[in-house]
Amino acid sequence: LLMVGLIIVGVCIKSGLNSMADNSRVVNVKGLAEMEVPANKVTWPLMYKEVGNDLPALYNKINNTNQTIVTFLKQKGITEQEISINAPELIDLQADRYNSNPIQFRYNITTVITVTSDKVELVRNLIKEQSELLKQGIAITGGDYRYNVQYDFTGLNAVKPQMIEEATKNARAAAIKFAKDSDSELGKIKRAYQGQFSIEDRDANTPFIKKVRVVTSIVYYLKD
């Protein structure tokens, strides 16, 4: 009986060691999925400046200019809900104690009208047509990084399942290739990490086209 018991214990220990060894044989692979999607939201700041010495006259001019811009936008298909007018930003150059140079105009006022819309193509065309405002004496100023046109993609939840599936397939294909090259077979998944989704411009020239990217990390068991 003692000998039989020792044999059984030995078999159990060997089986346990083999199981531990099998569990330690794993392969960690990553799967990439990328997709190009059009932006479905655009934020367009129309910024202009006014300078002068008569503050009430400047504010009257700004109100008239704002009305002209809003009318232009509405005529082109932008709704009132998609337009917001920021409070004017006033700089009193005469009150600048660090400026000792003579100034021609005391006040410098910056005004921004922002269009936020899901009509991306319409807004893109309007950006090209904003020269029509020049004919009415309104110069939309560019070059300030705070007032750049911004394109966004907000439909991530709609493409997540498809992209995760693709990334997982790519990871499994890499794992199968590794197992084959090492004379092993691919086992079950031990651990899986979805990874973070990133959304960025496809390139600097087409910010209205976004590249969505996700990398999954999966650990598979290997078996003989």
Side-chain angles (χ1 to χ4, degrees):
L1 291 175
L2 181 61
M3 291 297 295
V4 171
L6 290 174
I7 291 172
I8 292 174
V9 170
V11 170
C12 291
I13 292 175
K14 184 176 184 299
S15 176
L17 291 174
N18 288 338
S19 177
M20 291 177 61
D22 289 341
N23 288 340
S24 65
R25 296 180 61 217
V26 296
V27 56
N28 189 341
V29 292
K30 297 183 183 297
L32 169 66
E34 291 183 333
M35 177 184 292
E36 290 185 2
V37 294
N40 60 356
K41 178 184 176 183
V42 59
T43 303
W44 176 29
L46 294 90
M47 185 264 288
Y48 68 94
K49 293 179 178 290
E50 296 288 354
V51 294
N53 297 310
D54 188 334
L55 198 54
L58 278 174
Y59 273 100
N60 288 334
K61 185 176 182 180
I62 287 171
N63 287 333
N64 292 334
T65 301
N66 287 348
Q67 187 57 49
T68 301
I69 294 175
V70 169
T71 300
F72 165 79
L73 294 173
K74 288 182 177 180
Q75 288 176 346
K76 297 296 184 177
I78 303 297
T79 65
E80 187 171 352
Q81 291 72 23
E82 295 171 318
I83 302 171
S84 61
I85 302 176
N86 296 4
E89 180 183 311
L90 171 66
I91 298 177
D92 186 346
L93 298 177
Q94 188 172 313
D96 185 0
R97 61 179 179 175
Y98 299 105
N99 184 17
S100 59
N101 298 322
I103 56 174
Q104 181 179 1
F105 300 109
R106 176 176 178 178
Y107 301 109
N108 186 327
I109 302 179
T110 301
T111 303
V112 182
I113 297 177
T114 305
V115 174
T116 304
S117 174
D118 58 2
K119 305 168 187 171
V120 178
E121 287 302 315
L122 174 62
V123 173
R124 286 186 59 211
N125 290 330
L126 285 181
I127 293 173
K128 299 175 185 176
E129 297 174 9
Q130 63 180 313
S131 58
E132 292 184 19
L133 294 172
L134 288 174
K135 299 176 183 178
Q136 303 181 56
I138 302 172
I140 302 299
T141 307
D144 192 321
Y145 72 94
R146 295 180 299 167
Y147 307 116
N148 289 331
V149 182
Q150 181 177 332
Y151 297 93
D152 297 295
F153 175 69
T154 61
L156 182 58
N157 288 335
V159 301
K160 262 186 178 182
Q162 175 185 349
M163 294 192 65
I164 292 174
E165 179 182 357
E166 181 183 348
T168 303
K169 286 181 178 178
N170 292 337
R172 182 172 179 81
I176 291 174
K177 180 67 167 61
F178 183 91
K180 182 179 178 180
D181 292 343
S182 60
D183 293 327
S184 303
E185 292 184 6
L186 195 65
K188 295 182 179 180
I189 292 177
K190 180 180 182 180
R191 290 189 303 271
Y193 306 95
Q194 173 187 295
Q196 290 188 340
F197 280 83
S198 64
I199 303 175
E200 56 188 18
D201 297 344
R202 184 182 67 178
D203 55 68
N205 299 318
T206 55
F208 47 87
I209 299 178
K210 299 298 181 180
K211 181 171 68 175
V212 185
R213 187 175 188 270
V214 65
V215 178
T216 60
S217 180
I218 303 178
V219 180
Y220 287 94
Y221 287 111
L222 293 176
K223 57 184 181 180
D224 293 331

